[in-house]
């Protein structure tokens, strides 16, 4: 899957596959404007290295509908990841105890490292770190749905930059070929947004769109 493609298009939205090593803005947005009938704006983003499904609103009304759904926790993104061996990295709080899925990993975030290219979890809202990102005043949450050997399925409702990559590394499951959070030297990050769940602007009924997991 080296090229974008449209998985679903209606008069209100487009679900598009983003290949790895492509920016959502401006590259994927430009592609959508060429290959679809209309595009208003993107509803969420994936990291440059991450591949998977992205939702675009086609008009202002659907854009505000989806924004409301996101604010109400009705927009869910599901990811699959192939993980590598556990490592110790600087700047992380004490490792969380591993649990049996489903369980939730939660934290604030702060920039970390040369060029602030990475992030680190923050679990105390103190004065130690001046730049702390919060999700509507609280923790960012990653729900771990399934762990089978080195394969993990996770869900988020709202996300921060590198959230899943950082959270999985924190609990001892760095994603394979991650240039920032693992020691692998492969070229393709083993992380895919393989499913989206959100209400339909037409009738508010739940929709789901899936591609195969990693």
């Amino acid at each position: 899957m080296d090229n974008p493609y449209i998985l679903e298009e209606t008069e209100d939205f487009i679900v598009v596959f983003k290949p790895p090593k492509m920016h959502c803005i401006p590259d994927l947005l430009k592609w959508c404007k060429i290959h679809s009938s209309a595009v208003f704006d993107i509803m969420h983003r994936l990291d440059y290295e991450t591949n998977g499904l992205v939702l675009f609103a086609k008009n202002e009304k659907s854009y505000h509908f989806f924004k409301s759904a996101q604010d109400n926790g009705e927009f869910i993104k599901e990811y699959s990841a192939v993980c590598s061996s556990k490592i110790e990295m600087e700047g992380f709080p004490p490792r969380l105890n591993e649990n049996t899925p489903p369980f939730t990993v939660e934290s604030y975030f702060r920039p970390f490292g040369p060029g602030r290219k990475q992030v680190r979890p923050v679990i105390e809202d103190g004065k130690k770190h001046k730049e702390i990102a919060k999700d509507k005043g609280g923790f960012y949450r990653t729900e771990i749905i399934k762990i089978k050997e080195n394969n993990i399925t996770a869900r988020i409702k709202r996300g921060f930059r590198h959230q899943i990559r950082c959270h999985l590394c924190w609990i001892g499951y760095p994603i394979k070929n991650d240039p920032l959070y693992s020691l692998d030297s492969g070229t393709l990050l083993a992380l895919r947004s393989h499913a989206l769940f959100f209400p339909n602007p037409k009738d508010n009924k739940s929709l789901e769109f899936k591609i195969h997991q990693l």
Side-chain angles (χ1 to χ4, degrees), residues 116-129:
R116 300 154 60 94
K117 291 182 179 180
Q118 301 182 36
V119 298
R120 289 293 186 269
V122 178
I123 54 178
E124 294 183 0
D125 186 11
K127 298 181 179 180
K128 182 177 180 180
H129 304 295

Side-chain angles (χ1 to χ4, degrees), residues 49 165-166 174-184 186 188-190:
E49 296 90 351
R165 296 163 65 180
C166 179
I175 298 172
K176 190 173 180 62
N177 302 332
D178 192 324
L180 298 178
Y181 301 95
S182 80
L183 300 178
D184 296 326
L188 294 179
L189 177 69

Side-chain angles (χ1 to χ4, degrees), residues 28-40:
L28 189 63
L29 179 59
K30 287 181 179 179
W31 185 93
C32 284
K33 288 182 176 180
I34 294 171
H35 292 86
S36 63
S37 59
V39 177
F40 183 77

Side-chain angles (χ1 to χ4, degrees), residues 69-96:
Q70 289 174 333
D71 290 342
N72 294 330
E74 298 173 313
F75 186 90
I76 299 172
K77 294 161 280 187
E78 187 170 289
Y79 291 75
S80 52
V82 181
C83 300
S84 57
S85 57
K86 298 179 182 181
I87 57 173
E88 298 290 341
M89 297 186 72
E90 274 187 72
F92 281 88
R95 178 172 289 163
L96 299 177

